[in-house]
Amino acid sequence: MAVTIREYWKNLKTEYEATYNESIFSDYNVLIQYAERFESYLRGLMQKHPQDVDMVCALTTVEQVLRHEKSSIQLLEDFLETYSSALSDTDKARVYTNLAFYYNDERHIKEYNYLSAAIKLNSPYIETYRGLALYHFSSYEDNESIEALTKSLQAFEKGISVSNDYEISYGYAVCLFGLKKHEKAKTIFEQLLSKYPNRMRLLLGIAYCDVYLGNKKQALDRLKQIKLGPDVAYYLSNDEIYDFEVFNAYYVLGEYELFLEECKKAEEDYDLSGGPYYFGLWITNRHDLFHIEVDKQRTELLECIEDVKAVADFDSEAEKQSYIQSWEDDLEALSTVVHKIKHENYKPIVELKLCPIYGCYLIDCLFHNF
């Protein structure tokens, strides 16, 4: 059945792309028309083969493309309830993983439950392990839970035993980095770099590891090789290197001249006000500029307070006061950090962070797996 279904979609794609000489995914309004034709075909199959897992998984992904996510969930959960006893563990793992993806907004508990159920069935699908690893890593990013980071590491590690692909290996190294196992993380980044030469995200990962391993010269050499923006060589528009990822590394290394130089280049894109920037100015004896920048920030905060005071259409006085208090807290925090930098030899902490590649883990994705 899977071959027949994929052949039908392939013919639809070929029909469009031969006529218009562009990808069927380039225009969503066009995609809808062809997805609706595919949906009609699949619903016809469903009447004849209601127990076929290929059919129901294809139909649910088409419903997702048509933005009928609730319909996708209902179809799969009804399918499980009706035919669960007749499904193999592999088929169940496939359905569970797809269901988890449909529940992945704001990490719904059902996303975790379905992914866990699929793993208990020894899912042969790499998407299952990627999904669970990303679920836990997102939790780690929210609350800095080492337990969540460790679980993410374990899920990536299980995924490697299924398919040692780039995203899984990279995610595993990122988790090692987060757990401060920098030498092990660096080794994996370097192994990947041998397969994907000059991949910018890998160069950054190696540089970050060298920063924390105390390999200052090696770290600086890597950082200077990194090109900002999307990685054109690998068409990675979703894996862009940002200015702050480089200049923050210079700051941690104590290379304040390079840090300020890169900050200057990036000032149109980033709000540089904050402790690290002020510290960089102070430690390099740019005291006049330090005071100018601090005064500018203080003026902006005072103006925000006055603007809030002038607004009359708050729902309540309490709401208005909460906004004022927020800006006053920022003003106090500014005064505190400035005093500490000037009089207490205080260096604001910057932590270098990496994250895995977030993306689709839907097994039967019309965009990625058909």
Side-chain angles (χ1 to χ4, degrees):
M1 185 65 73
V3 174
T4 302
I5 291 170
R6 290 174 182 273
E7 189 67 24
Y8 187 91
W9 176 245
K10 181 181 178 181
N11 289 337
L12 286 178
K13 285 178 63 181
T14 302
E15 176 188 324
Y16 175 81
E17 292 170 1
T19 303
Y20 297 101
N21 198 30
E22 64 180 8
S23 169
I24 196 171
F25 300 112
S26 61
D27 185 333
Y28 180 68
N29 291 324
V30 171
L31 175 61
I32 287 176
Q33 298 172 33
Y34 284 83
E36 287 174 343
R37 287 172 59 182
F38 195 23
E39 179 193 27
S40 296
Y41 168 74
L42 291 168
R43 287 199 178 278
L45 282 183
M46 187 176 186
Q47 293 180 358
K48 298 177 182 178
H49 308 281
Q51 291 184 248
D52 189 84
V53 71
D54 294 319
M55 179 279 303
V56 75
C57 286
L59 180 57
T60 54
T61 197
V62 172
E63 291 296 309
Q64 187 230 4
V65 169
L66 294 172
R67 300 177 181 171
H68 303 154
E69 287 85 358
K70 289 183 179 179
S71 177
S72 296
I73 291 171
Q74 193 67 51
L75 278 166
L76 282 182
E77 290 187 332
D78 288 349
F79 181 79
L80 275 177
E81 184 177 351
T82 305
Y83 302 112
S84 181
S85 61
L87 296 176
S88 68
D89 285 353
T90 296
D91 286 342
K92 287 179 184 177
R94 177 178 172 184
V95 174
Y96 288 152
T97 302
N98 286 345
L99 270 169
F101 179 81
Y102 296 133
Y103 275 112
N104 74 351
D105 288 344
E106 300 180 0
R107 292 181 306 287
H108 195 292
I109 187 61
K110 285 192 175 181
E111 178 188 11
Y112 172 76
N113 289 341
Y114 278 127
L115 288 169
S116 298
I119 285 177
K120 287 178 182 177
L121 295 174
N122 295 315
S123 172
Y125 301 104
I126 192 62
E127 290 87 352
T128 307
Y129 304 93
R130 183 183 298 124
L132 187 61
L134 295 176
Y135 176 92
H136 286 308
F137 198 91
S138 293
S139 297
Y140 161 69
E141 288 184 309
D142 286 346
N143 53 36
E144 297 186 353
S145 164
I146 296 301
E147 180 183 1
L149 181 58
T150 301
K151 288 180 178 178
S152 182
L153 175 80
Q154 292 168 346
F156 276 122
E157 190 171 23
K158 286 183 179 179
I160 288 173
S161 66
V162 175
S163 175
N164 192 12
D165 69 4
Y166 176 83
E167 290 186 17
I168 289 290
S169 296
Y170 179 80
Y172 181 63
V174 165
C175 290
L176 288 171
F177 177 85
L179 292 167
K180 304 188 186 309
K181 298 179 180 181
H182 301 122
E183 195 69 63
K184 289 183 178 180
K186 181 183 175 182
T187 297
I188 296 173
F189 287 138
E190 288 178 332
Q191 290 170 348
L192 289 171
L193 189 65
S194 67
K195 298 179 183 178
Y196 305 91
N198 295 317
R199 196 161 182 168
M200 295 297 112
R201 183 57 57 181
L202 294 173
L203 293 177
L204 185 73
I206 294 168
Y208 277 11
C209 290
D210 278 329
V211 168
Y212 288 121
L213 289 169
N215 303 329
K216 186 171 183 177
K217 182 180 183 305
Q218 293 96 313
L220 287 171
D221 288 344
R222 292 289 189 188
L223 289 168
K224 290 174 182 178
Q225 294 175 44
I226 293 172
K227 297 176 182 177
L228 302 178
D231 195 330
V232 178
Y234 291 95
Y235 303 100
L236 296 176
S237 59
N238 65 337
D239 197 21
E240 187 169 354
I241 303 292
Y242 295 96
D243 312 64
F244 71 87
E245 294 180 286
V246 174
F247 66 62
N248 278 346
Y250 287 140
Y251 177 86
V252 175
L253 285 168
E255 291 291 326
Y256 303 116
E257 295 292 345
L258 282 172
F259 167 70
L260 292 173
E261 181 182 325
E262 294 302 315
C263 284
K264 183 66 177 176
K265 294 178 185 176
E267 63 182 349
E268 292 184 3
D269 299 319
Y270 299 101
D271 177 13
L272 297 172
S273 63
Y277 179 57
Y278 299 144
F279 178 84
L281 294 174
W282 188 259
I283 200 71
T284 56
N285 296 315
R286 292 172 167 84
H287 293 171
D288 289 344
L289 184 55
F290 171 89
H291 287 111
I292 289 171
E293 292 291 335
V294 169
D295 288 343
K296 182 171 71 174
Q297 180 64 8
R298 183 179 290 111
T299 298
E300 289 180 4
L301 291 172
L302 288 169
E303 287 175 350
C304 288
I305 292 172
E306 293 306 312
D307 288 344
V308 172
K309 288 179 178 179
V311 173
D313 60 349
F314 283 97
D315 291 338
S316 66
E317 181 63 23
E319 181 187 13
K320 183 174 184 176
Q321 290 304 317
S322 71
Y323 276 91
I324 293 173
Q325 186 62 54
S326 177
W327 290 118
E328 288 179 343
D329 289 346
D330 289 344
L331 193 61
E332 183 178 351
L334 174 64
S335 297
T336 299
V337 76
V338 166
H339 177 84
K340 291 173 71 174
I341 288 171
K342 290 174 65 175
H343 304 293
E344 299 179 15
N345 195 31
Y346 170 68
K347 177 181 176 179
I349 295 173
V350 168
E351 183 181 356
L352 302 180
K353 295 183 178 181
L354 296 170
C355 67
I357 299 169
Y358 283 96
C360 175
Y361 67 84
L362 182 63
I363 295 172
D364 295 273
C365 179
L366 200 66
F367 292 89
H368 303 114
N369 294 332
F370 259 76

